[in-house]
Amino acid sequence: MRPRFDRSILDAADRDALAEHIRDMKRRGLRPPTLRNREMRVLDLATHLAPRTLLQATTADIEQWLDAQVNRGLSQATRVSYTANIRSFYGWLARRGYLTEDPTREIPLPRRPHARPRPIPEADLELALTTADQRMRAWLVLGSYCGLRAMEIHQVRREDILDHLDPPILDIPEGKGGRPRKVPLPAEVLAELAPHMTGRRGRLWALDQQPDRPGYHVSILVNAHLRQLGIPHTCHSLRHRYGTRIYQLSRDLRLTQELLGHSSPATTQIYTQFSQDHAAAVVAHLGSLLGPRRGPLS
């Protein structure tokens, strides 16, 4: 059986067009995960089209491939990503003269699903922490008490921990999208990291690095630890917990946005779970302004 993402399926013209598209994205500074996602989606479409080529694809061909993603049971958010990647590729082909017309021009993006926060519950987090080994515990703490993504946990270096400052700071020089940020380090978190802070430089944990899948090993291992405990959450749920708790404690969306390293507050709102207790208190205060009930006017 032919591999799903097999470059050999491309003819010379398709191969040259895809290679130039990837080079163009690199020149524009797009990140390696974006490049890989784009290439995988294009190769997936090419496999579906064979023996027709990418440059021969019609609107109907591409819609048929998109329908196949629905039949595979992919989530709405994933199908939005697939469609966006293919539309970007064909839009670029048309602008560069590889095609006279963009076959995806009339293909709309699926409606984006309403994203909801999914923080790990406090009891589940406590169970995960108390059953973890030293390294796993440090990863869980960095996710749930500092808001680090798996890729950021993977990349923590000794020189990024500015423990000589008051208060200590964790410097994250390159987060998602290349955005740097600095996160305060509570004393309790610093104590969890201390056993791993050997030497003056270098990564805190010895893990294989996959440039196109940063944080892969951390995510896989954390998810496996949670599954073994029967906890239906993922490594990213730790970050959701951090964002939710920071917002609940501060009521400051801007502060939460900066600590999470988001470029837009709209993204931060996904991570900040609605607080029913706070809402009830606010509405109760509003109700208190109503005053005593009066009888009907005569």
Side-chain angles (χ1 to χ4, degrees), residues 6-289:
D6 183 5
R7 295 174 182 83
S8 69
I9 199 169
L10 303 179
D11 71 357
D14 280 359
R15 189 163 51 249
D16 289 347
L18 178 57
E20 181 55 34
H21 180 53
I22 298 296
R23 282 193 292 270
D24 179 71
M25 290 194 296
K26 287 180 178 179
R27 286 192 292 268
R28 291 187 285 122
L30 274 66
R31 308 288 297 162
T34 302
L35 304 182
R36 173 147 180 88
N37 284 338
R38 182 66 50 79
E39 183 176 23
M40 286 194 302
R41 297 293 76 78
V42 171
L43 291 174
D44 193 2
L45 174 60
T47 302
H48 171 84
L49 292 170
R52 294 169 62 83
T53 69
L54 291 168
L55 297 180
Q56 294 171 338
T58 66
T59 300
D61 292 330
I62 296 170
E63 287 178 332
Q64 186 182 60
W65 175 74
L66 292 171
D67 289 343
Q69 312 316 312
V70 177
N71 296 334
R72 286 175 57 199
L74 296 183
S75 70
Q76 182 92 340
T78 300
R79 288 189 284 113
V80 170
S81 173
Y82 277 39
T83 307
N85 271 287
I86 293 303
R87 290 205 327 174
S88 294
F89 175 63
Y90 276 98
W92 180 89
L93 289 177
R95 290 192 302 274
R96 287 299 185 95
Y98 286 93
L99 298 172
T100 57
E101 185 176 336
D102 175 6
T104 67
R105 185 168 55 89
E106 300 299 330
I107 297 178
L109 276 177
R111 180 178 296 178
R112 290 186 180 275
H114 178 67
R116 298 177 63 86
R118 50 187 188 281
I120 186 171
E122 296 299 305
D124 286 347
L125 175 59
E126 183 62 26
L127 175 61
L129 287 168
T130 56
T131 55
D133 61 28
Q134 192 176 70
R135 186 181 70 173
M136 177 61 65
R137 185 178 170 90
W139 291 355
L140 294 170
V141 166
L142 284 172
S144 58
Y145 284 87
C146 293
L148 269 64
R149 303 174 176 91
M151 58 173 279
E152 295 165 347
I153 295 172
H154 191 160
Q155 295 168 352
V156 172
R157 301 178 64 86
R158 174 62 184 93
E159 57 267 33
D160 298 334
I161 301 172
L162 309 179
D163 51 330
H164 61 284
L165 299 179
D166 186 17
I169 294 290
L170 176 59
D171 183 17
I172 304 172
E174 192 173 9
K176 187 175 181 180
R179 287 185 292 274
R181 72 184 189 279
K182 290 181 168 59
V183 177
L185 270 181
E188 295 80 3
V189 174
L190 192 58
E192 297 286 350
L193 298 179
H196 308 279
M197 294 163 54
T198 58
R200 302 185 63 174
R201 298 185 64 82
R203 295 188 183 278
L204 263 60
W205 3 87
L207 293 169
D208 292 337
Q209 180 76 344
Q210 293 182 273
D212 58 347
R213 303 181 75 180
Y216 174 76
H217 293 295
V218 170
S219 181
I220 290 295
L221 294 173
V222 170
N223 292 350
H225 176 66
L226 297 176
R227 280 197 305 273
Q228 288 171 359
L229 297 170
I231 297 174
H233 285 271
T234 66
C235 185
H236 207 60
S237 299
L238 304 172
R239 178 170 160 84
H240 278 243
R241 182 263 181 191
Y242 176 78
T244 297
R245 295 293 289 152
I246 288 294
Y247 182 71
Q248 288 176 342
L249 291 168
S250 68
R251 307 294 177 200
D252 188 333
L253 188 64
R254 176 62 177 166
L255 179 146
T256 307
Q257 176 189 345
E258 289 297 321
L259 288 176
L260 288 171
H262 289 150
S263 60
S264 166
T267 306
T268 308
Q269 289 174 342
I270 298 170
Y271 289 72
T272 52
Q273 189 175 57
F274 178 74
S275 171
Q276 288 287 355
D277 290 342
H278 182 61
V282 170
V283 173
H285 176 69
L286 177 64
S288 71
L289 304 178

